[in-house]
Amino acid sequence: MKKVLSLIIVTSAAFPSSASAAGSVTVTDQPTTPVQLLVLFLFLAVIPGLVFAMTAFPRILIVLSFVRQALGTPSTPPTQVLVGIALFLTLFVMTPTVNAVKDEAFQPYLDKKISFTTALNQAQQPIRKFMFAQTRPSDLALFVKLSKPKKIPTTKEQVPTTVLIPAFITSELQTAFQIGFMLFLPFLVIDLVVASTLLSVGMMMLPPPLISLPFKLLLFVLVDGWALLFQSIVNSFNTS
């Protein structure tokens, strides 16, 4: 549960804000309990979109979808299963980032050692570090240019989170499609061999995918495909 709440602080840190206490003209740094509940429910509502935008989830889910298509089984595993696998692989990949947020922002805030605004600011750093590690410089430069800033950022600290997030998503899509292309190649070879064999023996009316499917499944099982796939996905992330 603490990891989930830490993710809420991470995502809220992308757009930090301050709150004032009701019934007094004195501005405080600590939000009241109703404000805390409002912020909690707000980010619970938008967490699905933030998970897609700021974590490893998009790359993992796209790669798993490519594997399903390459195998020729468009409905197996079911989409719900792929989403579940992607979610827990995302939690596995993001564990160092979530732990950093918990140690640097969430736990100190619960212990009342830092203010709410300070917790939000400190929670930004681990998630920004993760996104910077996965973002290609060309994509980051593109969105910096598109944002038309008054002053070009010269350091990572100067890059706004609103610029970093779309650059990160673009890099994730590019990387996922590159991995998907490499995954398609061995199965494409099997399809071509089967289609050529059927054509050479005059069995043109027999659908090649029907014959190639068992061979593709056999190849995937013999090479321990799922373990190899999960290992490759996890190693594709730069978590250093």
Side-chain angles (χ1 to χ4, degrees), residues 55-67 82-94 130 172-173 175-176 179 183 229-230 232-234 236-237:
T55 68
F57 187 81
R59 182 193 303 188
I60 296 174
L61 184 59
I62 291 173
V63 170
L64 292 177
S65 299
F66 271 126
V67 171
L82 291 187
V83 171
I85 294 172
L87 186 60
F88 281 99
L89 280 178
T90 299
L91 183 61
F92 179 80
V93 171
M94 299 291 297
F130 173 81
E172 288 296 281
L173 291 174
T175 302
I179 296 175
L183 289 171
L229 175 64
F230 294 157
S232 300
I233 290 176
V234 172
S236 70
F237 288 95

PDB file of all heavy atoms in Angstrom, residues 55-67 82-94 130 172-173 175-176 179 183 229-230 232-234 236-237:
ATOM      1  N   THR A  55       5.669   5.716 -16.552  1.00  0.00           N
ATOM      2  CA  THR A  55       6.283   4.484 -16.065  1.00  0.00           C
ATOM      3  C   THR A  55       6.701   3.597 -17.235  1.00  0.00           C
ATOM      4  O   THR A  55       6.583   3.979 -18.400  1.00  0.00           O
ATOM      5  CB  THR A  55       5.309   3.700 -15.161  1.00  0.00           C
ATOM      6  OG1 THR A  55       4.219   3.206 -15.966  1.00  0.00           O
ATOM      7  CG2 THR A  55       4.756   4.579 -14.046  1.00  0.00           C
ATOM      8  N   ALA A  56       7.155   2.397 -16.895  1.00  0.00           N
ATOM      9  CA  ALA A  56       7.589   1.440 -17.905  1.00  0.00           C
ATOM     10  C   ALA A  56       6.425   0.700 -18.554  1.00  0.00           C
ATOM     11  O   ALA A  56       6.644  -0.116 -19.467  1.00  0.00           O
ATOM     12  CB  ALA A  56       8.537   0.420 -17.253  1.00  0.00           C
ATOM     13  N   PHE A  57       5.210   0.961 -18.121  1.00  0.00           N
ATOM     14  CA  PHE A  57       4.048   0.194 -18.563  1.00  0.00           C
ATOM     15  C   PHE A  57       3.826   0.205 -20.077  1.00  0.00           C
ATOM     16  O   PHE A  57       3.586  -0.859 -20.671  1.00  0.00           O
ATOM     17  CB  PHE A  57       2.795   0.702 -17.841  1.00  0.00           C
ATOM     18  CG  PHE A  57       1.565  -0.104 -18.093  1.00  0.00           C
ATOM     19  CD1 PHE A  57       1.330  -1.279 -17.405  1.00  0.00           C
ATOM     20  CD2 PHE A  57       0.625   0.306 -19.026  1.00  0.00           C
ATOM     21  CE1 PHE A  57       0.189  -2.036 -17.636  1.00  0.00           C
ATOM     22  CE2 PHE A  57      -0.521  -0.435 -19.266  1.00  0.00           C
ATOM     23  CZ  PHE A  57      -0.734  -1.600 -18.567  1.00  0.00           C
ATOM     24  N   PRO A  58       3.895   1.359 -20.762  1.00  0.00           N
ATOM     25  CA  PRO A  58       3.600   1.350 -22.209  1.00  0.00           C
ATOM     26  C   PRO A  58       4.541   0.447 -23.001  1.00  0.00           C
ATOM     27  O   PRO A  58       4.090  -0.326 -23.856  1.00  0.00           O
ATOM     28  CB  PRO A  58       3.767   2.822 -22.616  1.00  0.00           C
ATOM     29  CG  PRO A  58       3.599   3.597 -21.366  1.00  0.00           C
ATOM     30  CD  PRO A  58       4.137   2.730 -20.274  1.00  0.00           C
ATOM     31  N   ARG A  59       5.843   0.552 -22.743  1.00  0.00           N
ATOM     32  CA  ARG A  59       6.790  -0.277 -23.495  1.00  0.00           C
ATOM     33  C   ARG A  59       6.511  -1.757 -23.284  1.00  0.00           C
ATOM     34  O   ARG A  59       6.489  -2.547 -24.244  1.00  0.00           O
ATOM     35  CB  ARG A  59       8.227   0.032 -23.064  1.00  0.00           C
ATOM     36  CG  ARG A  59       9.262  -0.759 -23.847  1.00  0.00           C
ATOM     37  CD  ARG A  59      10.654  -0.709 -23.236  1.00  0.00           C
ATOM     38  NE  ARG A  59      11.158   0.659 -23.090  1.00  0.00           N
ATOM     39  CZ  ARG A  59      12.399   0.950 -22.736  1.00  0.00           C
ATOM     40  NH1 ARG A  59      13.262  -0.030 -22.474  1.00  0.00           N
ATOM     41  NH2 ARG A  59      12.783   2.211 -22.609  1.00  0.00           N
ATOM     42  N   ILE A  60       6.281  -2.156 -22.040  1.00  0.00           N
ATOM     43  CA  ILE A  60       6.078  -3.575 -21.732  1.00  0.00           C
ATOM     44  C   ILE A  60       4.811  -4.090 -22.395  1.00  0.00           C
ATOM     45  O   ILE A  60       4.814  -5.166 -23.020  1.00  0.00           O
ATOM     46  CB  ILE A  60       6.019  -3.771 -20.205  1.00  0.00           C
ATOM     47  CG1 ILE A  60       7.357  -3.393 -19.568  1.00  0.00           C
ATOM     48  CG2 ILE A  60       5.664  -5.213 -19.867  1.00  0.00           C
ATOM     49  CD1 ILE A  60       7.344  -3.409 -18.050  1.00  0.00           C
ATOM     50  N   LEU A  61       3.725  -3.343 -22.307  1.00  0.00           N
ATOM     51  CA  LEU A  61       2.465  -3.806 -22.885  1.00  0.00           C
ATOM     52  C   LEU A  61       2.540  -3.885 -24.404  1.00  0.00           C
ATOM     53  O   LEU A  61       2.027  -4.841 -25.009  1.00  0.00           O
ATOM     54  CB  LEU A  61       1.329  -2.873 -22.458  1.00  0.00           C
ATOM     55  CG  LEU A  61      -0.073  -3.280 -22.912  1.00  0.00           C
ATOM     56  CD1 LEU A  61      -0.437  -4.660 -22.369  1.00  0.00           C
ATOM     57  CD2 LEU A  61      -1.108  -2.254 -22.457  1.00  0.00           C
ATOM     58  N   ILE A  62       3.188  -2.918 -25.044  1.00  0.00           N
ATOM     59  CA  ILE A  62       3.305  -2.932 -26.507  1.00  0.00           C
ATOM     60  C   ILE A  62       4.137  -4.124 -26.965  1.00  0.00           C
ATOM     61  O   ILE A  62       3.787  -4.818 -27.932  1.00  0.00           O
ATOM     62  CB  ILE A  62       3.911  -1.610 -27.007  1.00  0.00           C
ATOM     63  CG1 ILE A  62       2.924  -0.463 -26.800  1.00  0.00           C
ATOM     64  CG2 ILE A  62       4.281  -1.709 -28.491  1.00  0.00           C
ATOM     65  CD1 ILE A  62       3.501   0.905 -27.101  1.00  0.00           C
ATOM     66  N   VAL A  63       5.240  -4.398 -26.272  1.00  0.00           N
ATOM     67  CA  VAL A  63       6.084  -5.542 -26.639  1.00  0.00           C
ATOM     68  C   VAL A  63       5.317  -6.850 -26.484  1.00  0.00           C
ATOM     69  O   VAL A  63       5.378  -7.733 -27.354  1.00  0.00           O
ATOM     70  CB  VAL A  63       7.369  -5.552 -25.791  1.00  0.00           C
ATOM     71  CG1 VAL A  63       8.131  -6.860 -25.990  1.00  0.00           C
ATOM     72  CG2 VAL A  63       8.255  -4.371 -26.158  1.00  0.00           C
ATOM     73  N   LEU A  64       4.580  -7.002 -25.390  1.00  0.00           N
ATOM     74  CA  LEU A  64       3.788  -8.218 -25.201  1.00  0.00           C
ATOM     75  C   LEU A  64       2.731  -8.358 -26.290  1.00  0.00           C
ATOM     76  O   LEU A  64       2.455  -9.473 -26.754  1.00  0.00           O
ATOM     77  CB  LEU A  64       3.125  -8.187 -23.821  1.00  0.00           C
ATOM     78  CG  LEU A  64       4.057  -8.290 -22.611  1.00  0.00           C
ATOM     79  CD1 LEU A  64       3.270  -8.164 -21.309  1.00  0.00           C
ATOM     80  CD2 LEU A  64       4.831  -9.602 -22.626  1.00  0.00           C
ATOM     81  N   SER A  65       2.143  -7.258 -26.719  1.00  0.00           N
ATOM     82  CA  SER A  65       1.152  -7.308 -27.797  1.00  0.00           C
ATOM     83  C   SER A  65       1.797  -7.723 -29.114  1.00  0.00           C
ATOM     84  O   SER A  65       1.210  -8.485 -29.895  1.00  0.00           O
ATOM     85  CB  SER A  65       0.480  -5.938 -27.946  1.00  0.00           C
ATOM     86  OG  SER A  65      -0.190  -5.562 -26.766  1.00  0.00           O
ATOM     87  N   PHE A  66       3.010  -7.235 -29.373  1.00  0.00           N
ATOM     88  CA  PHE A  66       3.734  -7.638 -30.582  1.00  0.00           C
ATOM     89  C   PHE A  66       4.023  -9.136 -30.571  1.00  0.00           C
ATOM     90  O   PHE A  66       3.923  -9.809 -31.611  1.00  0.00           O
ATOM     91  CB  PHE A  66       5.041  -6.863 -30.709  1.00  0.00           C
ATOM     92  CG  PHE A  66       4.909  -5.567 -31.458  1.00  0.00           C
ATOM     93  CD1 PHE A  66       5.331  -4.372 -30.885  1.00  0.00           C
ATOM     94  CD2 PHE A  66       4.378  -5.530 -32.732  1.00  0.00           C
ATOM     95  CE1 PHE A  66       5.218  -3.174 -31.578  1.00  0.00           C
ATOM     96  CE2 PHE A  66       4.257  -4.341 -33.435  1.00  0.00           C
ATOM     97  CZ  PHE A  66       4.677  -3.156 -32.855  1.00  0.00           C
ATOM     98  N   VAL A  67       4.409  -9.666 -29.425  1.00  0.00           N
ATOM     99  CA  VAL A  67       4.697 -11.097 -29.327  1.00  0.00           C
ATOM    100  C   VAL A  67       3.445 -11.915 -29.636  1.00  0.00           C
ATOM    101  O   VAL A  67       3.501 -12.920 -30.358  1.00  0.00           O
ATOM    102  CB  VAL A  67       5.230 -11.441 -27.920  1.00  0.00           C
ATOM    103  CG1 VAL A  67       5.319 -12.953 -27.729  1.00  0.00           C
ATOM    104  CG2 VAL A  67       6.592 -10.819 -27.708  1.00  0.00           C
ATOM    105  N   LEU A  82      -2.382  -9.965 -20.438  1.00  0.00           N
ATOM    106  CA  LEU A  82      -1.231  -9.155 -20.840  1.00  0.00           C
ATOM    107  C   LEU A  82      -1.134  -7.887 -19.992  1.00  0.00           C
ATOM    108  O   LEU A  82      -0.032  -7.481 -19.596  1.00  0.00           O
ATOM    109  CB  LEU A  82      -1.333  -8.789 -22.319  1.00  0.00           C
ATOM    110  CG  LEU A  82      -1.175  -9.920 -23.330  1.00  0.00           C
ATOM    111  CD1 LEU A  82      -1.132  -9.359 -24.758  1.00  0.00           C
ATOM    112  CD2 LEU A  82       0.081 -10.735 -23.067  1.00  0.00           C
ATOM    113  N   VAL A  83      -2.267  -7.264 -19.724  1.00  0.00           N
ATOM    114  CA  VAL A  83      -2.256  -6.056 -18.895  1.00  0.00           C
ATOM    115  C   VAL A  83      -1.770  -6.376 -17.484  1.00  0.00           C
ATOM    116  O   VAL A  83      -0.991  -5.623 -16.891  1.00  0.00           O
ATOM    117  CB  VAL A  83      -3.657  -5.415 -18.858  1.00  0.00           C
ATOM    118  CG1 VAL A  83      -3.710  -4.287 -17.830  1.00  0.00           C
ATOM    119  CG2 VAL A  83      -4.035  -4.884 -20.233  1.00  0.00           C
ATOM    120  N   GLY A  84      -2.218  -7.511 -16.939  1.00  0.00           N
ATOM    121  CA  GLY A  84      -1.760  -7.914 -15.606  1.00  0.00           C
ATOM    122  C   GLY A  84      -0.270  -8.183 -15.573  1.00  0.00           C
ATOM    123  O   GLY A  84       0.437  -7.753 -14.645  1.00  0.00           O
ATOM    124  N   ILE A  85       0.234  -8.891 -16.595  1.00  0.00           N
ATOM    125  CA  ILE A  85       1.673  -9.151 -16.670  1.00  0.00           C
ATOM    126  C   ILE A  85       2.447  -7.843 -16.781  1.00  0.00           C
ATOM    127  O   ILE A  85       3.463  -7.631 -16.089  1.00  0.00           O
ATOM    128  CB  ILE A  85       1.989 -10.069 -17.876  1.00  0.00           C
ATOM    129  CG1 ILE A  85       1.373 -11.457 -17.667  1.00  0.00           C
ATOM    130  CG2 ILE A  85       3.499 -10.186 -18.080  1.00  0.00           C
ATOM    131  CD1 ILE A  85       1.482 -12.344 -18.894  1.00  0.00           C
ATOM    132  N   ALA A  86       1.970  -6.953 -17.650  1.00  0.00           N
ATOM    133  CA  ALA A  86       2.651  -5.668 -17.838  1.00  0.00           C
ATOM    134  C   ALA A  86       2.650  -4.846 -16.555  1.00  0.00           C
ATOM    135  O   ALA A  86       3.640  -4.174 -16.229  1.00  0.00           O
ATOM    136  CB  ALA A  86       1.984  -4.884 -18.966  1.00  0.00           C
ATOM    137  N   LEU A  87       1.556  -4.903 -15.809  1.00  0.00           N
ATOM    138  CA  LEU A  87       1.457  -4.121 -14.573  1.00  0.00           C
ATOM    139  C   LEU A  87       2.471  -4.588 -13.540  1.00  0.00           C
ATOM    140  O   LEU A  87       3.172  -3.775 -12.918  1.00  0.00           O
ATOM    141  CB  LEU A  87       0.036  -4.231 -14.020  1.00  0.00           C
ATOM    142  CG  LEU A  87      -0.282  -3.364 -12.803  1.00  0.00           C
ATOM    143  CD1 LEU A  87      -0.101  -1.888 -13.121  1.00  0.00           C
ATOM    144  CD2 LEU A  87      -1.703  -3.634 -12.316  1.00  0.00           C
ATOM    145  N   PHE A  88       2.597  -5.905 -13.364  1.00  0.00           N
ATOM    146  CA  PHE A  88       3.518  -6.406 -12.348  1.00  0.00           C
ATOM    147  C   PHE A  88       4.971  -6.317 -12.798  1.00  0.00           C
ATOM    148  O   PHE A  88       5.874  -6.115 -11.974  1.00  0.00           O
ATOM    149  CB  PHE A  88       3.149  -7.845 -11.972  1.00  0.00           C
ATOM    150  CG  PHE A  88       1.982  -7.923 -11.030  1.00  0.00           C
ATOM    151  CD1 PHE A  88       0.711  -8.197 -11.505  1.00  0.00           C
ATOM    152  CD2 PHE A  88       2.150  -7.687  -9.675  1.00  0.00           C
ATOM    153  CE1 PHE A  88      -0.370  -8.254 -10.642  1.00  0.00           C
ATOM    154  CE2 PHE A  88       1.074  -7.736  -8.801  1.00  0.00           C
ATOM    155  CZ  PHE A  88      -0.193  -8.024  -9.285  1.00  0.00           C
ATOM    156  N   LEU A  89       5.233  -6.438 -14.103  1.00  0.00           N
ATOM    157  CA  LEU A  89       6.583  -6.187 -14.598  1.00  0.00           C
ATOM    158  C   LEU A  89       6.948  -4.718 -14.427  1.00  0.00           C
ATOM    159  O   LEU A  89       8.107  -4.387 -14.122  1.00  0.00           O
ATOM    160  CB  LEU A  89       6.690  -6.589 -16.073  1.00  0.00           C
ATOM    161  CG  LEU A  89       6.865  -8.081 -16.375  1.00  0.00           C
ATOM    162  CD1 LEU A  89       6.912  -8.315 -17.886  1.00  0.00           C
ATOM    163  CD2 LEU A  89       8.120  -8.636 -15.712  1.00  0.00           C
ATOM    164  N   THR A  90       5.957  -3.837 -14.608  1.00  0.00           N
ATOM    165  CA  THR A  90       6.196  -2.412 -14.386  1.00  0.00           C
ATOM    166  C   THR A  90       6.562  -2.147 -12.932  1.00  0.00           C
ATOM    167  O   THR A  90       7.503  -1.399 -12.636  1.00  0.00           O
ATOM    168  CB  THR A  90       4.944  -1.591 -14.756  1.00  0.00           C
ATOM    169  OG1 THR A  90       4.655  -1.781 -16.139  1.00  0.00           O
ATOM    170  CG2 THR A  90       5.160  -0.112 -14.479  1.00  0.00           C
ATOM    171  N   LEU A  91       5.838  -2.774 -12.009  1.00  0.00           N
ATOM    172  CA  LEU A  91       6.145  -2.616 -10.587  1.00  0.00           C
ATOM    173  C   LEU A  91       7.536  -3.138 -10.281  1.00  0.00           C
ATOM    174  O   LEU A  91       8.280  -2.537  -9.488  1.00  0.00           O
ATOM    175  CB  LEU A  91       5.100  -3.354  -9.745  1.00  0.00           C
ATOM    176  CG  LEU A  91       5.243  -3.236  -8.228  1.00  0.00           C
ATOM    177  CD1 LEU A  91       5.129  -1.781  -7.793  1.00  0.00           C
ATOM    178  CD2 LEU A  91       4.203  -4.088  -7.513  1.00  0.00           C
ATOM    179  N   PHE A  92       7.920  -4.240 -10.934  1.00  0.00           N
ATOM    180  CA  PHE A  92       9.262  -4.802 -10.725  1.00  0.00           C
ATOM    181  C   PHE A  92      10.334  -3.839 -11.224  1.00  0.00           C
ATOM    182  O   PHE A  92      11.336  -3.589 -10.531  1.00  0.00           O
ATOM    183  CB  PHE A  92       9.363  -6.144 -11.461  1.00  0.00           C
ATOM    184  CG  PHE A  92      10.705  -6.804 -11.329  1.00  0.00           C
ATOM    185  CD1 PHE A  92      11.041  -7.508 -10.195  1.00  0.00           C
ATOM    186  CD2 PHE A  92      11.640  -6.724 -12.359  1.00  0.00           C
ATOM    187  CE1 PHE A  92      12.288  -8.115 -10.074  1.00  0.00           C
ATOM    188  CE2 PHE A  92      12.876  -7.315 -12.247  1.00  0.00           C
ATOM    189  CZ  PHE A  92      13.201  -8.020 -11.103  1.00  0.00           C
ATOM    190  N   VAL A  93      10.137  -3.290 -12.424  1.00  0.00           N
ATOM    191  CA  VAL A  93      11.118  -2.375 -13.001  1.00  0.00           C
ATOM    192  C   VAL A  93      11.192  -1.078 -12.204  1.00  0.00           C
ATOM    193  O   VAL A  93      12.275  -0.509 -12.005  1.00  0.00           O
ATOM    194  CB  VAL A  93      10.779  -2.094 -14.484  1.00  0.00           C
ATOM    195  CG1 VAL A  93      11.646  -0.973 -15.038  1.00  0.00           C
ATOM    196  CG2 VAL A  93      10.939  -3.356 -15.319  1.00  0.00           C
ATOM    197  N   MET A  94      10.031  -0.606 -11.741  1.00  0.00           N
ATOM    198  CA  MET A  94       9.953   0.691 -11.067  1.00  0.00           C
ATOM    199  C   MET A  94      10.238   0.615  -9.572  1.00  0.00           C
ATOM    200  O   MET A  94      10.201   1.654  -8.892  1.00  0.00           O
ATOM    201  CB  MET A  94       8.564   1.298 -11.281  1.00  0.00           C
ATOM    202  CG  MET A  94       8.181   1.575 -12.716  1.00  0.00           C
ATOM    203  SD  MET A  94       9.130   2.905 -13.457  1.00  0.00           S
ATOM    204  CE  MET A  94       8.648   4.305 -12.456  1.00  0.00           C
ATOM    205  N   PHE A 130      14.359   8.517 -13.660  1.00  0.00           N
ATOM    206  CA  PHE A 130      13.984   7.330 -14.437  1.00  0.00           C
ATOM    207  C   PHE A 130      13.610   7.711 -15.861  1.00  0.00           C
ATOM    208  O   PHE A 130      14.054   7.071 -16.823  1.00  0.00           O
ATOM    209  CB  PHE A 130      12.815   6.609 -13.757  1.00  0.00           C
ATOM    210  CG  PHE A 130      12.247   5.480 -14.569  1.00  0.00           C
ATOM    211  CD1 PHE A 130      12.860   4.236 -14.577  1.00  0.00           C
ATOM    212  CD2 PHE A 130      11.104   5.649 -15.345  1.00  0.00           C
ATOM    213  CE1 PHE A 130      12.348   3.196 -15.339  1.00  0.00           C
ATOM    214  CE2 PHE A 130      10.592   4.619 -16.097  1.00  0.00           C
ATOM    215  CZ  PHE A 130      11.215   3.386 -16.089  1.00  0.00           C
ATOM    216  N   GLU A 172       9.680   5.822 -25.517  1.00  0.00           N
ATOM    217  CA  GLU A 172       9.159   4.502 -25.157  1.00  0.00           C
ATOM    218  C   GLU A 172       8.480   3.831 -26.346  1.00  0.00           C
ATOM    219  O   GLU A 172       8.653   2.624 -26.580  1.00  0.00           O
ATOM    220  CB  GLU A 172       8.182   4.631 -23.990  1.00  0.00           C
ATOM    221  CG  GLU A 172       8.832   4.946 -22.669  1.00  0.00           C
ATOM    222  CD  GLU A 172       9.739   3.837 -22.198  1.00  0.00           C
ATOM    223  OE1 GLU A 172       9.231   2.832 -21.658  1.00  0.00           O
ATOM    224  OE2 GLU A 172      10.970   3.955 -22.372  1.00  0.00           O
ATOM    225  N   LEU A 173       7.709   4.592 -27.106  1.00  0.00           N
ATOM    226  CA  LEU A 173       7.055   4.033 -28.289  1.00  0.00           C
ATOM    227  C   LEU A 173       8.092   3.575 -29.318  1.00  0.00           C
ATOM    228  O   LEU A 173       7.969   2.494 -29.914  1.00  0.00           O
ATOM    229  CB  LEU A 173       6.114   5.064 -28.906  1.00  0.00           C
ATOM    230  CG  LEU A 173       4.864   5.417 -28.091  1.00  0.00           C
ATOM    231  CD1 LEU A 173       4.101   6.557 -28.757  1.00  0.00           C
ATOM    232  CD2 LEU A 173       3.962   4.197 -27.941  1.00  0.00           C
ATOM    233  N   THR A 175      11.243   2.699 -28.809  1.00  0.00           N
ATOM    234  CA  THR A 175      11.951   1.516 -28.310  1.00  0.00           C
ATOM    235  C   THR A 175      11.074   0.272 -28.394  1.00  0.00           C
ATOM    236  O   THR A 175      11.540  -0.805 -28.789  1.00  0.00           O
ATOM    237  CB  THR A 175      12.396   1.742 -26.853  1.00  0.00           C
ATOM    238  OG1 THR A 175      13.222   2.906 -26.783  1.00  0.00           O
ATOM    239  CG2 THR A 175      13.177   0.546 -26.335  1.00  0.00           C
ATOM    240  N   ALA A 176       9.797   0.404 -28.032  1.00  0.00           N
ATOM    241  CA  ALA A 176       8.887  -0.743 -28.076  1.00  0.00           C
ATOM    242  C   ALA A 176       8.723  -1.272 -29.499  1.00  0.00           C
ATOM    243  O   ALA A 176       8.706  -2.487 -29.722  1.00  0.00           O
ATOM    244  CB  ALA A 176       7.528  -0.348 -27.493  1.00  0.00           C
ATOM    245  N   ILE A 179      11.893  -3.195 -30.543  1.00  0.00           N
ATOM    246  CA  ILE A 179      11.903  -4.540 -29.956  1.00  0.00           C
ATOM    247  C   ILE A 179      10.895  -5.427 -30.676  1.00  0.00           C
ATOM    248  O   ILE A 179      11.171  -6.600 -30.963  1.00  0.00           O
ATOM    249  CB  ILE A 179      11.591  -4.461 -28.452  1.00  0.00           C
ATOM    250  CG1 ILE A 179      12.683  -3.684 -27.722  1.00  0.00           C
ATOM    251  CG2 ILE A 179      11.470  -5.858 -27.854  1.00  0.00           C
ATOM    252  CD1 ILE A 179      12.383  -3.445 -26.242  1.00  0.00           C
ATOM    253  N   LEU A 183      11.404  -9.065 -32.617  1.00  0.00           N
ATOM    254  CA  LEU A 183      10.658 -10.257 -32.210  1.00  0.00           C
ATOM    255  C   LEU A 183       9.919 -10.888 -33.387  1.00  0.00           C
ATOM    256  O   LEU A 183       9.737 -12.112 -33.421  1.00  0.00           O
ATOM    257  CB  LEU A 183       9.654  -9.890 -31.111  1.00  0.00           C
ATOM    258  CG  LEU A 183      10.229  -9.561 -29.734  1.00  0.00           C
ATOM    259  CD1 LEU A 183       9.147  -9.004 -28.822  1.00  0.00           C
ATOM    260  CD2 LEU A 183      10.857 -10.794 -29.107  1.00  0.00           C
ATOM    261  N   LEU A 229      11.821 -13.550 -22.935  1.00  0.00           N
ATOM    262  CA  LEU A 229      11.153 -12.289 -23.249  1.00  0.00           C
ATOM    263  C   LEU A 229      11.160 -11.345 -22.049  1.00  0.00           C
ATOM    264  O   LEU A 229      11.509 -10.164 -22.170  1.00  0.00           O
ATOM    265  CB  LEU A 229       9.718 -12.565 -23.687  1.00  0.00           C
ATOM    266  CG  LEU A 229       8.836 -11.348 -23.939  1.00  0.00           C
ATOM    267  CD1 LEU A 229       9.368 -10.515 -25.101  1.00  0.00           C
ATOM    268  CD2 LEU A 229       7.387 -11.783 -24.192  1.00  0.00           C
ATOM    269  N   PHE A 230      10.795 -11.861 -20.871  1.00  0.00           N
ATOM    270  CA  PHE A 230      10.751 -11.019 -19.678  1.00  0.00           C
ATOM    271  C   PHE A 230      12.147 -10.513 -19.312  1.00  0.00           C
ATOM    272  O   PHE A 230      12.309  -9.361 -18.900  1.00  0.00           O
ATOM    273  CB  PHE A 230      10.142 -11.789 -18.508  1.00  0.00           C
ATOM    274  CG  PHE A 230       8.695 -12.144 -18.703  1.00  0.00           C
ATOM    275  CD1 PHE A 230       8.124 -13.204 -18.013  1.00  0.00           C
ATOM    276  CD2 PHE A 230       7.894 -11.431 -19.588  1.00  0.00           C
ATOM    277  CE1 PHE A 230       6.793 -13.537 -18.185  1.00  0.00           C
ATOM    278  CE2 PHE A 230       6.554 -11.759 -19.779  1.00  0.00           C
ATOM    279  CZ  PHE A 230       6.011 -12.814 -19.072  1.00  0.00           C
ATOM    280  N   SER A 232      14.600  -9.965 -21.407  1.00  0.00           N
ATOM    281  CA  SER A 232      14.973  -8.936 -22.390  1.00  0.00           C
ATOM    282  C   SER A 232      14.253  -7.621 -22.121  1.00  0.00           C
ATOM    283  O   SER A 232      14.845  -6.549 -22.253  1.00  0.00           O
ATOM    284  CB  SER A 232      14.645  -9.437 -23.805  1.00  0.00           C
ATOM    285  OG  SER A 232      15.350 -10.628 -24.093  1.00  0.00           O
ATOM    286  N   ILE A 233      12.986  -7.707 -21.737  1.00  0.00           N
ATOM    287  CA  ILE A 233      12.226  -6.487 -21.458  1.00  0.00           C
ATOM    288  C   ILE A 233      12.825  -5.739 -20.266  1.00  0.00           C
ATOM    289  O   ILE A 233      13.046  -4.521 -20.315  1.00  0.00           O
ATOM    290  CB  ILE A 233      10.746  -6.815 -21.195  1.00  0.00           C
ATOM    291  CG1 ILE A 233      10.060  -7.272 -22.491  1.00  0.00           C
ATOM    292  CG2 ILE A 233      10.018  -5.612 -20.624  1.00  0.00           C
ATOM    293  CD1 ILE A 233       8.623  -7.719 -22.300  1.00  0.00           C
ATOM    294  N   VAL A 234      13.089  -6.462 -19.190  1.00  0.00           N
ATOM    295  CA  VAL A 234      13.642  -5.823 -17.990  1.00  0.00           C
ATOM    296  C   VAL A 234      15.014  -5.228 -18.279  1.00  0.00           C
ATOM    297  O   VAL A 234      15.326  -4.112 -17.854  1.00  0.00           O
ATOM    298  CB  VAL A 234      13.713  -6.832 -16.830  1.00  0.00           C
ATOM    299  CG1 VAL A 234      14.458  -6.229 -15.641  1.00  0.00           C
ATOM    300  CG2 VAL A 234      12.306  -7.259 -16.405  1.00  0.00           C
ATOM    301  N   SER A 236      16.056  -4.095 -20.995  1.00  0.00           N
ATOM    302  CA  SER A 236      16.005  -2.983 -21.944  1.00  0.00           C
ATOM    303  C   SER A 236      15.883  -1.633 -21.251  1.00  0.00           C
ATOM    304  O   SER A 236      16.068  -0.596 -21.890  1.00  0.00           O
ATOM    305  CB  SER A 236      14.832  -3.168 -22.915  1.00  0.00           C
ATOM    306  OG  SER A 236      13.579  -2.987 -22.246  1.00  0.00           O
ATOM    307  N   PHE A 237      15.586  -1.638 -19.960  1.00  0.00           N
ATOM    308  CA  PHE A 237      15.452  -0.383 -19.220  1.00  0.00           C
ATOM    309  C   PHE A 237      16.772   0.004 -18.578  1.00  0.00           C
ATOM    310  O   PHE A 237      17.453  -0.829 -17.976  1.00  0.00           O
ATOM    311  CB  PHE A 237      14.372  -0.507 -18.143  1.00  0.00           C
ATOM    312  CG  PHE A 237      12.981  -0.561 -18.675  1.00  0.00           C
ATOM    313  CD1 PHE A 237      12.364  -1.785 -18.893  1.00  0.00           C
ATOM    314  CD2 PHE A 237      12.289   0.585 -18.990  1.00  0.00           C
ATOM    315  CE1 PHE A 237      11.085  -1.851 -19.401  1.00  0.00           C
ATOM    316  CE2 PHE A 237      10.999   0.536 -19.490  1.00  0.00           C
ATOM    317  CZ  PHE A 237      10.399  -0.691 -19.705  1.00  0.00           C
TER     318      PHE A 237
END
